[in-house]
Amino acid sequence: MADFGLYNYQEEVVERALQGENIIIWLPTGGGKTRAAVYVAKKHLENTPQAKVVVLANKVHLVEQHYTKEFKPHLGHDYTLVPVSGESEVKDFFGKVVQESDVVICTAQILYNAMISEEEHKHIELSDITLLIVDECHHTHKESVYNTIMRCYVEKKLKGEGPLPQILGLTASPGTGGAKSRVKAVDHVLQICANLDSAIVSTKNCVPELKKKVPRPIKTFDIVESRPEDPFGDRLKQMMQMVHEYMNLPPDIVLRETGTQEYEADVVVLEQRGVREDNRLLAQCALHLRQYNDALLINDTLRMVDAYESLEQFYVIKSTKVIDPTDDFLVQLFFENQVHLRKLSKDPRYENPKMAKLESVLLKQFRPGVQARGILFSKTRKSTHCLDDWVGTNRALQEAGVKADILTGAGNGSTYMTQREQLDTIKQFRQGSLNLLISTTVGEEGIDIPECNLVVRYGLLTNEIAQQQARGRARAADSQYSVVALKGGREERREITNEHLEELTAEAIAQVQVMSIQRFRSKIAEIQEEAVLKRRMAERCKIIKKSRHAAASVQLLCRNCFKSVASGSDIQLIDNAHYVNVNPDFEKHYKVGGQVRLAKKFQDWEPGRIISCNNGNCNKDWGFEIKYKEVALLPNLAINNFALETPDGRMTAKKWKNVQFTVEDFSFQQYCQENFPDLID
């Protein structure tokens, strides 16, 4: 192994995998899990007839990173390697790619799509793979794609169907699954092992070497005192109280403290209740209260002007959608206070002290002539944009040579990044043309920047896994891990709790590792059999729920104005992804807006224009048109923009999978027959 450059602790943790066992490698971030996996893959390819290795990553940028930095340099000379992600054209021929390659590195979704595809050039079976490497395998739980794949594996194993690939999982921490006791933490670790059908290994004989190789960064709690005065926040709370009084809260409703996540949860439930009870006043007041609460949360974390601008943007749009006295009251309330709020938001006497503390933390590392590199983690995409604007307009940080950019999740919308933008940003950070990444949690896992010497967690409440992942981004010698938080606040308390949970995770893993082989296997089999039964019961319940109402007995109502606009029987499902209304009469209920532009192209469809309710001044966004197979122009609807009137009463659904009626599959041939009969032979 020496010629491969493995450390002794890496050789220790791969031993059982080299013997063909299913193994989870547990090493800290920066400990070289991927390098160990490459070595296992190399030996597997050398010693296994017709070997086929698939490496799963949970994020697109990790596909590229694993391919470029680890697998290609060590295996590319002797074997055929292909990286495949959502933006790769070869994903549409995944089955062929696997057949013709020795190693395929892809996202889990790509593999699962291929497993369920009925098209020969796309489809693959688990039996086509001989080694399945699962990166960040602690995500193999609940309804994750990793777990969906492994459920197929476990069911085949229990039925005696084979052959099945060897499993190699990689994780810096399986976590405790929310458990606070050792017994429950052990149960969680066993659950992860059962889901991956694997034992968990770590170094026992080479701990000093591992600690030397992966030194922990210097951790600092950069604590600030509360604002002595917060007239901006106080005014927002006064306005919220006026809304409380206007909507005459039901006596059984008790809202928790404003400016908290708990209050946000309360008003989300309140809006749903207003919709169910046909009480538009209650529903709309709850929606506006959520915006004010968001502004309070922003005010607590970012600049006052960021909080003000979030409200201003909301009310500029809302002012064009006034349809009744409730809307009029809520819109006027903001505009009557707008001038005063704007003035307060620009008063430096009341600025958020966390921002000054963050500036000082950054300036300790970033100085003229000093080669520093850091990652600033924040909670939301919106907050990363606000922080980027702050860095760009902060004279001291600019003079210190800070060159920042944003890293957020891939997706569609103005605050998302395309996959290509993600990769370009990470590349610039690696090369040094950027020296500060302002990232959501998308950057916590896997980004390998050896020169990174500062990690700052700012306004974050996350679990112990995310904390360890973030800390592990600080790789340089004498690097710093800073937690900027309010004295005695939730962030400080959570960080301390996570430290205890990290210790609890290690204790739970140790307890699992000392189990006898017989007891461990018996426990894993028991968990797996129970999971299969639970899954079958859940599937049965889902079928029952889906058939609870006839589609024709359900009406879709605009969630804003409550006007009935469609029947459940009008909805059909295209390619298991797009819920469209096929009734031509639906067109009279909506108007079209701007063209939707997506960063990537799709095989059978392209986006059209935004659609919204045309009931008077409602203008509620409903979704957007799609053009399917260059012929069918259909409205693609987001169910969370509607209420559902069912025989059991009115309800809301966050996703289409939650509706209580069966949605029929779309037939392109039938659509053409009904709409273009003259074109059909």
Side-chain angles (χ1 to χ4, degrees):
M1 294 188 198
D3 61 323
F4 202 77
L6 291 189
Y7 289 90
N8 292 327
Y9 69 83
Q10 290 171 307
E11 294 180 5
E12 182 184 358
V13 296
V14 301
E15 268 181 23
R16 290 170 64 180
L18 294 176
Q19 294 165 14
E21 288 188 55
N22 287 359
I23 290 299
I24 298 168
I25 293 176
W26 174 48
L27 285 175
T29 301
K33 295 182 291 296
T34 311
R35 179 64 57 84
V38 174
Y39 184 78
V40 173
K42 180 175 184 290
K43 291 300 176 184
H44 181 87
L45 289 162
E46 289 172 355
N47 300 320
T48 307
Q50 297 179 308
K52 197 73 65 178
V53 179
V54 173
V55 183
L56 297 184
N58 66 321
K59 293 188 174 72
V60 173
H61 64 262
L62 296 183
V63 171
E64 189 69 26
Q65 177 174 293
H66 291 334
Y67 172 73
T68 305
K69 294 198 68 181
E70 293 288 353
F71 283 87
K72 186 180 179 182
H74 292 96
L75 303 179
H77 186 267
D78 299 312
Y79 301 100
T80 305
L81 286 77
V82 181
V84 186
S85 64
E87 291 192 347
S88 309
E89 291 184 5
V90 292
K91 74 178 185 300
D92 297 322
F93 305 93
F94 190 75
K96 290 286 186 186
V97 170
V98 172
Q99 281 180 23
E100 296 167 1
S101 309
D102 299 306
V103 181
V104 175
I105 305 167
C106 63
T107 55
Q109 191 66 54
I110 295 287
L111 174 60
Y112 181 66
N113 289 349
M115 287 169 59
I116 62 174
S117 175
E118 296 178 359
E119 298 178 48
E120 187 177 344
H121 59 279
K122 288 185 180 180
H123 182 74
I124 73 160
E125 295 282 345
L126 283 172
S127 56
D128 297 328
I129 305 167
T130 57
L131 173 63
L132 184 64
I133 299 173
V134 186
D135 187 36
E136 308 292 358
C137 70
H138 50 272
H139 291 297
T140 313
H141 67 112
K142 297 182 180 177
E143 300 307 309
S144 71
V145 186
Y146 275 175
N147 209 28
T148 305
I149 292 168
M150 287 307 302
R151 279 195 192 115
C152 299
Y153 180 103
V154 168
E155 290 204 22
K156 285 180 179 293
K157 173 203 165 188
L158 294 177
K159 290 176 184 175
E161 297 177 5
L164 290 170
Q166 179 186 353
I167 303 296
L168 178 63
L170 311 174
T171 184
S173 174
T176 67
K180 301 290 169 56
S181 69
R182 184 184 294 188
V183 171
K184 293 292 184 184
V186 167
D187 287 345
H188 173 72
V189 173
L190 284 170
Q191 182 71 63
I192 296 292
C193 289
N195 293 348
L196 286 153
D197 195 44
S198 301
I200 187 165
V201 299
S202 56
T203 182
K204 301 295 181 188
N205 304 320
C206 308
V207 174
E209 181 191 44
L210 175 62
K211 287 184 176 179
K212 185 178 179 181
K213 169 68 173 62
V214 191
R216 290 170 75 99
I218 300 162
K219 183 171 184 176
T220 61
F221 280 97
D222 292 293
I223 304 302
V224 298
E225 300 286 341
S226 299
R227 282 182 173 105
E229 294 180 86
D230 183 16
F232 179 81
D234 292 342
R235 176 55 70 100
L236 293 181
K237 290 175 182 178
Q238 290 166 13
M239 294 165 72
M240 293 170 80
Q241 183 58 38
M242 292 172 73
V243 177
H244 289 170
E245 293 168 1
Y246 177 81
M247 68 179 177
N248 193 17
L249 270 174
D252 60 321
I253 294 291
V254 178
L255 299 176
R256 285 170 284 185
E257 183 183 356
T258 55
T260 64
Q261 299 290 348
E262 293 76 18
Y263 182 89
E264 178 178 325
D266 290 343
V267 292
V268 166
V269 171
L270 193 62
E271 186 271 340
Q272 293 168 349
R273 175 169 171 171
V275 172
R276 287 197 311 272
E277 296 179 354
D278 197 22
N279 185 340
R280 189 172 186 277
L281 185 150
L282 193 66
Q284 288 301 306
C285 286
L287 279 175
H288 287 248
L289 286 169
R290 184 175 182 182
Q291 292 297 320
Y292 281 111
N293 196 66
D294 280 349
L296 284 174
L297 290 169
I298 293 169
N299 182 51
D300 181 57
T301 308
L302 303 164
R303 299 169 297 183
M304 291 184 292
V305 71
D306 297 319
Y308 168 77
E309 286 176 356
S310 75
L311 275 178
E312 184 180 54
Q313 290 165 11
F314 175 76
Y315 279 102
V316 165
I317 295 169
K318 275 293 180 184
S319 65
T320 67
K321 301 182 179 184
V322 174
I323 62 175
D324 67 9
T326 298
D327 293 333
D328 195 49
F329 165 77
L330 293 166
V331 169
Q332 287 304 315
L333 177 64
F334 173 75
F335 284 113
E336 286 168 3
N337 288 272
Q338 182 181 20
V339 172
H340 188 55
L341 286 171
R342 186 191 296 127
K343 182 179 178 183
L344 287 172
S345 73
K346 295 181 178 180
D347 192 328
R349 293 176 296 171
Y350 309 122
E351 195 49 273
N352 188 349
K354 287 182 186 175
M355 300 300 293
K357 178 62 72 173
L358 177 59
E359 179 184 318
S360 71
V361 168
L362 293 174
L363 288 174
K364 285 176 185 174
Q365 295 287 344
F366 292 95
R367 300 185 299 277
V370 176
Q371 295 294 317
R373 217 169 295 182
I375 306 179
L376 169 57
F377 287 108
S378 190
K379 182 180 179 182
T380 65
R381 292 186 298 274
K382 191 173 187 177
S383 65
T384 62
H385 284 266
C386 293
L387 287 167
D388 185 52
D389 179 71
W390 170 71
V391 170
T393 56
N394 184 296
R395 181 181 295 178
L397 294 176
Q398 290 304 299
E399 290 176 352
V402 176
K403 295 168 288 187
D405 206 348
I406 292 163
L407 180 66
T408 61
N412 302 312
S414 60
T415 58
Y416 287 93
M417 299 180 77
T418 66
Q419 294 171 358
R420 177 49 52 193
E421 286 171 340
Q422 282 185 332
L423 295 173
D424 287 346
T425 299
I426 293 167
K427 182 179 179 182
Q428 289 180 60
F429 187 57
R430 279 206 179 96
Q431 293 173 342
S433 53
L434 296 174
N435 56 17
L436 180 66
L437 279 186
I438 304 174
S439 178
T440 54
T441 53
V442 71
E444 286 175 343
E445 290 183 337
I447 297 180
D448 183 18
I449 315 291
E451 300 81 9
C452 188
N453 61 344
L454 174 66
V455 166
V456 183
R457 281 169 63 80
Y458 187 75
L460 277 175
L461 290 170
T462 54
N463 62 21
E464 71 281 8
I465 297 175
Q467 177 176 308
Q468 291 173 68
Q469 295 279 9
R471 185 181 66 216
R473 298 306 120 217
R475 302 281 183 87
D478 300 321
S479 55
Q480 181 187 353
Y481 172 76
S482 166
V483 180
V484 178
L486 190 67
K487 185 176 182 181
R490 293 172 299 163
E491 294 96 336
E492 183 184 15
R493 294 196 302 272
R494 179 65 62 85
E495 197 77 17
I496 293 168
T497 298
N498 286 343
E499 290 175 355
H500 297 318
L501 293 176
E502 186 178 342
E503 294 171 4
L504 186 60
T505 301
E507 292 169 7
I509 292 171
Q511 190 166 323
V512 169
Q513 288 174 332
V514 297
M515 283 183 175
S516 68
I517 293 175
Q518 185 178 0
R519 181 161 177 260
F520 176 77
R521 287 178 178 168
S522 172
K523 190 70 180 170
I524 293 305
E526 178 188 324
I527 293 170
Q528 289 176 338
E529 287 166 4
E530 185 179 298
V532 169
L533 286 173
K534 282 183 179 177
R535 181 66 181 169
R536 288 173 184 164
M537 286 298 296
E539 288 293 336
R540 184 177 297 175
C541 290
K542 189 185 294 184
I543 292 168
I544 293 170
K545 181 180 178 182
K546 283 284 186 185
S547 57
R548 182 163 186 162
H549 304 298
S553 71
V554 177
Q555 289 292 305
L556 274 69
L557 283 59
C558 174
R559 191 155 175 168
N560 184 50
C561 67
F562 295 171
K563 182 183 178 182
S564 179
V565 294
S567 166
S569 58
D570 297 335
I571 309 301
Q572 293 185 4
L573 177 59
I574 294 179
D575 294 344
N576 207 34
H578 310 288
Y579 290 83
V580 298
N581 191 316
V582 297
N583 188 339
D585 292 338
F586 182 62
E587 190 175 11
K588 67 186 181 186
H589 293 296
Y590 68 84
K591 51 189 164 187
V592 295
Q595 174 70 33
V596 175
R597 303 196 183 281
L598 303 180
K600 58 182 179 180
K601 295 187 181 297
F602 301 88
Q603 186 174 5
D604 290 324
W605 68 277
E606 59 184 79
R609 297 166 295 179
I610 294 168
I611 63 171
S612 57
C613 179
N614 73 353
N615 180 26
N617 212 24
C618 177
N619 299 320
K620 172 71 175 174
D621 285 347
W622 286 348
F624 59 90
E625 301 168 318
I626 65 168
K627 183 181 281 188
Y628 186 64
K629 293 187 182 292
E630 300 182 348
V631 173
L633 186 64
L634 296 162
N636 180 41
L637 306 179
I639 191 59
N640 62 340
N641 293 325
F642 296 87
L644 299 168
E645 196 73 74
T646 77
D648 292 340
R650 192 175 294 182
M651 63 171 288
T652 59
K654 191 173 182 180
K655 296 183 178 179
W656 277 105
K657 68 179 182 180
N658 304 128
V659 302
Q660 297 182 353
F661 62 91
T662 301
V663 177
E664 300 293 335
D665 285 334
F666 177 80
S667 167
F668 182 67
Q669 185 175 4
Q670 183 180 338
Y671 175 85
C672 291
Q673 287 173 345
E674 292 175 355
N675 292 273
F676 310 104
D678 55 315
L679 301 179
I680 306 298
D681 293 333

